[in-house]
Amino acid sequence: MEYKKTLNMQKSGFPMRGGLPKREPEMLAQWEELDLYNELLKKNEGKPLFSLHDGPPFSNGDIHMGHALNKALKDFIVRMYAMRGRYTPYIPGWDNHGMPIESAIIKKNKLNLKAMSIAEFRSACEEFAQNYIDRQMAGFKRMGVVADWEHPYKTMDKGFEAEEVKVFGEMFKKGYIYKGLKPVYWCPKDETALAEAEIEYQDDPCTTVYVKFPMHDDLGKLEGIDLSKVNFVIWTTTIWTLPGNLAIALNPRESYALVKAPNGEVYIMAEALVEKVMGVGGFDTYEIIATYPGSFFENMLAKHPFLDKTSVCCWRTMLPWIPVPAVSTPLPASARKTIRPAPATASRWWFP
């Protein structure tokens, strides 16, 4: 007797094995034949809108786990709102921004950029980007992501670029675009600018020094004080730039103190840093003779500590602090609170 035939078991059309590698492509092909995306939109047409903007991936390589997680989560959310009765258009897109495409094509296709004209290189980049758009799209479809794959947006489309130019033009008309000076981070390896968000800092112990600049001309403001004993104090990590020093920068609104040390010398420094600086200098006791705003010292002159230079000018600005005109000049003491100084390895804080 075959005991299986004696059992009252339900009959099902499901196969005994899942066979997903074979069945999933068939299911996806059926969705495509049904035009599932547009059928879902028709079902909820006229209902409240839910639009999820697709932050685009770069079209410079095949999909990876990050792409898979990103697209799967977006697909979950869009379908959830569609099931709630919302109208859910989902337009996938790709970022064809220059640097990631250029770096990838040079590495993968072994291009010699310097041997190509700009037009040739741009055409090669466009073809390269389109190739990976097609490959990534196939991967996303294989994942079962429901989207308007027939009409994706691409940042390299001429219409897209035209809209960017229009927006730029409107910004220019409103005065938001102007020519100025700004430091730009530059990557010598990739030969491209870096966004500030890409910059990471690490602690780098280095030799630092506190340097005193003897007073040369106080403009008659420091009455009753022996000017031969008065010194401005700066701090720098770039000791080799000291020969080019042309100015000392002070914050016009910061409070600066005249600090008298046991050796009889008087040092001008930011009041907030007096205890720290005098401690580094090895002074246990000191006296604050007077305090003034940084603007008080404007146009005073100081001698260079070891070169025969006429003077070092004390500049004033309405900005929080201003670097000296020469890019090689060390940072002022008043700017130290904006930096995280590395551990000083200099033995003393005055310069020989």
Side-chain angles (χ1 to χ4, degrees):
M1 177 182 290
E2 191 173 349
Y3 288 102
K4 183 173 68 172
K5 296 180 179 180
T6 67
L7 300 177
N8 185 18
M9 298 182 67
Q10 293 181 343
K11 304 293 185 204
S12 170
F14 292 111
M16 289 296 293
R17 296 181 179 275
L20 295 181
K22 178 176 180 294
R23 291 179 56 81
E24 279 188 356
E26 295 174 353
M27 178 184 66
L28 296 176
Q30 184 183 17
W31 287 2
E32 188 170 352
E33 184 179 350
L34 290 173
D35 194 12
L36 182 61
Y37 172 75
N38 287 304
E39 288 300 317
L40 287 173
L41 291 184
K42 290 178 183 177
K43 177 178 178 293
N44 293 332
E45 192 172 4
K47 294 182 179 180
L49 172 69
F50 174 79
S51 179
L52 177 62
H53 175 70
D54 186 26
F58 290 120
S59 54
N60 62 347
D62 291 312
I63 63 173
H64 49 65
M65 288 303 297
H67 292 127
L69 177 63
N70 180 289
K71 279 294 187 290
L73 292 177
K74 290 175 181 176
D75 192 51
F76 294 164
I77 293 171
V78 172
R79 292 194 192 208
M80 177 188 69
Y81 276 94
M83 294 171 68
R84 290 180 175 183
R86 304 285 287 274
Y87 184 71
T88 54
Y90 179 47
I91 312 298
W94 276 270
D95 188 348
N96 316 118
H97 174 67
M99 192 272 286
I101 308 295
E102 292 174 6
S103 298
I105 191 174
I106 290 172
K107 293 174 183 176
K108 294 180 180 178
N109 292 9
K110 310 298 183 184
L111 291 186
N112 182 1
L113 175 58
K114 294 180 171 56
M116 303 175 68
S117 68
I118 294 177
E120 289 173 335
F121 185 61
R122 286 180 178 173
S123 297
C125 287
E126 185 174 355
E127 182 180 347
F128 180 85
Q130 185 59 54
N131 173 56
Y132 278 106
I133 288 176
D134 297 337
R135 294 174 63 148
Q136 289 186 15
M137 184 186 297
F140 295 144
K141 287 181 178 180
R142 184 67 178 82
M143 288 172 55
V145 178
V146 177
D148 189 359
W149 298 114
E150 300 299 320
H151 307 94
Y153 75 87
K154 298 178 288 186
T155 60
M156 66 180 179
D157 281 347
K158 298 301 181 284
F160 200 101
E161 294 174 346
E163 290 300 319
E164 289 182 322
V165 173
K166 290 179 184 177
V167 172
F168 184 87
E170 289 299 319
M171 294 173 66
F172 179 80
K173 289 178 183 178
K174 294 177 181 179
Y176 298 143
I177 309 299
Y178 59 92
K179 184 177 181 179
L181 299 176
K182 179 183 178 182
V184 176
Y185 296 104
W186 182 261
C187 176
K189 178 178 180 295
D190 293 321
E191 299 181 343
T192 184
L194 299 174
E196 292 185 16
E198 296 179 275
I199 307 301
E200 296 182 3
Y201 295 91
Q202 65 181 15
D203 292 329
D204 183 19
C206 61
T207 300
T208 68
V209 293
Y210 292 78
V211 187
K212 62 181 183 181
F213 286 72
M215 177 67 75
H216 178 67
D217 183 2
D218 70 337
L219 305 179
K221 292 184 177 182
L222 300 177
E223 296 181 3
I225 298 178
D226 184 358
L227 297 184
S228 66
K229 301 287 187 180
V230 179
N231 302 270
F232 288 94
V233 178
I234 71 154
W235 173 87
T236 182
T237 61
T238 56
I239 304 170
W240 57 90
T241 64
L242 285 171
N245 188 293
L246 298 175
I248 299 173
L250 294 91
N251 185 324
R253 295 180 293 275
E254 186 76 27
S255 176
Y256 289 82
L258 273 68
V259 187
K260 186 173 183 180
N263 63 4
E265 291 190 336
V266 177
Y267 307 115
I268 301 174
M269 65 186 73
E271 185 180 6
L273 300 172
V274 169
E275 182 178 354
K276 178 179 180 180
V277 174
M278 297 303 283
V280 172
F283 297 111
D284 297 327
T285 60
Y286 52 85
E287 176 189 358
I288 297 180
I289 301 175
T291 58
Y292 302 98
S295 57
F296 174 81
F297 300 94
E298 181 181 12
N299 294 327
M300 289 187 183
L301 304 179
K303 298 177 183 177
H304 196 280
F306 57 89
L307 292 178
D308 186 19
K309 289 192 175 184
T310 55
S311 64
V312 177
C313 302
C314 301
W315 284 45
R316 173 176 175 265
T317 176
M318 294 310 294
L319 297 173
W321 65 276
I322 185 171
V324 294
V327 294
S328 62
T329 309
L331 294 171
S334 59
R336 278 182 291 131
K337 66 178 184 178
T338 67
I339 331 168
R340 182 173 57 210
T345 57
S347 58
R348 301 294 285 178
W349 62 268
W350 55 79
F351 201 91

